Amino acid sequence: MGAILKRSKSLLVLWDSSYTSRLWCMFEIAAFLHGKGPSADAQRHLVACPVFVGPTLLLGHLGLSILLLAFEFSQLPMIPWGTIIICGLCFPCFTALAYVVLEHCRSIDVVQNQVRYFTIEQSLCYCCSCGHTDPLTREPMICDRSILIRCISSWFGSAEQFETLVRHHVMTTLVHQLANNVFSYWRILQAISPLFWLFLDFWIGPIARDFVPVDIVIAAVIFCMMLIPGIVLILLRLSYKFRNLAAGVRQQLMLSVGLVSIGMLLFATLMAADRASAALSWHLCGDRTPGYATLLILSGILSVLLWRCLPLIDAQNI
Ligand SMILES: [Zn+2]
């Protein structure tokens, strides 16, 4: 196991709330980071992904695909009925998603407190929890904890040095990953990818008539790659900021509704700006493309500023 950890370039942590209470898990992650050395960029080597992200992305993807397919078959115009119906149907789904994200934000506080006071003695081992007797065969089991303590002394110098490493280096690396990298730009893009298919459908008609719809291509780039990920990033930061604002389930649902409302309001404002710039461009030049091109440049600058300049959530300040 030591050789595998030493030679591995990266470690994927499929994280849940019980992860930091298990001695084996903390040993693996500490051994991996220790093997990379103190000068290595830990954030580049370690990737933490909560287990709820997979099913959430899958369900979100499926739901959005079905919704857009239904919209396509209904043949409703995109403005205003298509947008109103899509936003109306998405609202309950987004509220549930916001609720899950708020839960995730609160769970980071729990993890930080668990790891900050980590001790080998209080961490869990399966063998110790079942009294060193196999529950099926009733045969005695070897204690993993005593084996790990010997290994820890050999690899880390002493149990105290191991615990110090876990409480500082492992804690900051894990919390940074869970706070900043779970909903990365590329993961948001994956989640909204069905929107690209909708735009692809808009492209097909003009392309069949030997006409390249430049304005639709620019609109797809603006909304799918810049504005929607930007709105999601703002909502994620707001979720962290207000994660402890509501105590009960009802208050948390209200908070989720509030967050989704802010997102919808931002989206509606940007849609209105998009329509206004296209109309102005048509009025001045008889072509909508210059308006979309201007919006593309402004959206690009705004996106770069958001993703590059918005401060990351600092594990020490959570
Ligand atoms: Zn044991």
Side-chain angles (χ1 to χ4, degrees):
M1 180 180 163
I4 292 170
L5 286 172
K6 183 82 180 165
R7 300 297 297 170
S8 297
K9 285 182 182 164
S10 62
L11 181 71
L12 174 65
V13 174
L14 295 174
W15 180 86
D16 71 3
S17 55
S18 69
Y19 192 91
T20 50
S21 62
R22 286 178 270 153
L23 181 59
W24 263 113
C25 296
M26 297 314 283
F27 172 73
E28 280 169 354
I29 195 169
F32 175 76
L33 292 176
H34 185 61
K36 292 289 161 213
S39 58
D41 182 6
Q43 303 301 343
R44 203 164 59 85
H45 296 292
L46 191 133
V47 179
C49 182
V51 286
F52 76 83
V53 170
T56 305
L57 274 182
L58 200 65
L59 282 174
H61 214 277
L62 189 69
L64 192 57
S65 303
I66 292 170
L67 184 67
L68 293 176
L69 271 176
F71 165 72
E72 268 299 276
F73 283 114
S74 72
Q75 296 291 312
L76 282 168
M78 188 68 185
I79 307 289
W81 295 111
T83 307
I84 291 170
I85 290 171
I86 287 174
C87 289
L89 290 174
C90 283
F91 202 92
C93 306
F94 287 161
T95 302
L97 190 62
Y99 189 88
V100 172
V101 171
L102 281 167
E103 279 288 321
H104 170 67
C105 296
R106 280 189 290 272
S107 74
I108 294 170
D109 293 342
V110 177
V111 169
Q112 197 176 27
N113 286 328
Q114 278 178 351
V115 183
R116 183 174 280 157
Y117 302 107
F118 172 86
T119 59
I120 295 173
E121 196 182 340
Q122 288 181 347
S123 55
L124 300 176
C125 256
Y126 177 70
C127 57
C128 303
S129 62
C130 58
H132 304 104
T133 304
D134 192 310
L136 293 175
T137 61
R138 309 307 303 167
E139 286 182 2
M141 293 169 73
I142 298 169
C143 183
D144 281 0
R145 192 187 302 272
S146 58
I147 297 169
L148 277 176
I149 287 172
R150 283 204 300 274
C151 197
I152 283 167
S153 298
S154 164
W155 288 13
F156 297 87
S158 68
E160 289 74 28
Q161 279 178 295
F162 169 74
E163 287 175 347
T164 306
L165 183 90
V166 169
R167 287 175 199 154
H168 294 95
H169 193 33
V170 172
M171 193 265 280
T172 48
T173 308
L174 198 56
V175 169
H176 178 90
Q177 280 286 321
L178 292 172
N180 295 294
N181 292 356
V182 169
F183 301 102
S184 63
Y185 175 79
W186 296 110
R187 211 164 267 165
I188 295 168
L189 222 56
Q190 278 175 0
I192 62 169
S193 58
L195 274 176
F196 280 106
W197 306 339
L198 183 71
F199 278 104
L200 201 63
D201 193 63
F202 292 157
W203 296 341
I204 293 298
I207 286 171
R209 297 192 298 272
D210 293 330
F211 169 68
V212 179
V214 180
D215 52 345
I216 300 177
V217 174
I218 296 175
V221 172
I222 290 174
F223 277 94
C224 300
M225 300 181 76
M226 295 175 181
L227 297 183
I228 295 177
I231 292 173
V232 174
L233 180 66
I234 291 168
L235 293 179
L236 286 170
R237 288 290 191 274
L238 287 175
S239 302
Y240 274 104
K241 185 89 179 158
F242 300 119
R243 67 193 183 281
N244 293 319
L245 200 65
V249 174
R250 194 181 298 169
Q251 287 90 338
Q252 285 169 22
L253 272 174
M254 297 272 285
L255 183 59
S256 309
V257 168
L259 286 167
V260 175
S261 304
I262 292 169
M264 292 283 187
L265 199 65
L266 282 171
F267 184 73
T269 308
L270 293 169
M271 277 292 280
D274 173 70
R275 304 313 299 175
S277 69
L280 187 67
S281 175
W282 182 261
H283 180 70
L284 295 175
C285 320
D287 186 1
R288 281 192 290 263
T289 308
Y292 279 120
T294 310
L295 205 63
L296 176 71
I297 295 165
L298 291 175
S299 306
I301 294 168
L302 189 69
S303 293
V304 170
L305 285 175
L306 265 177
W307 287 94
R308 290 283 171 198
C309 302
L310 201 66
L312 293 171
I313 296 165
D314 188 358
Q316 303 298 331
N317 296 331
I318 290 178

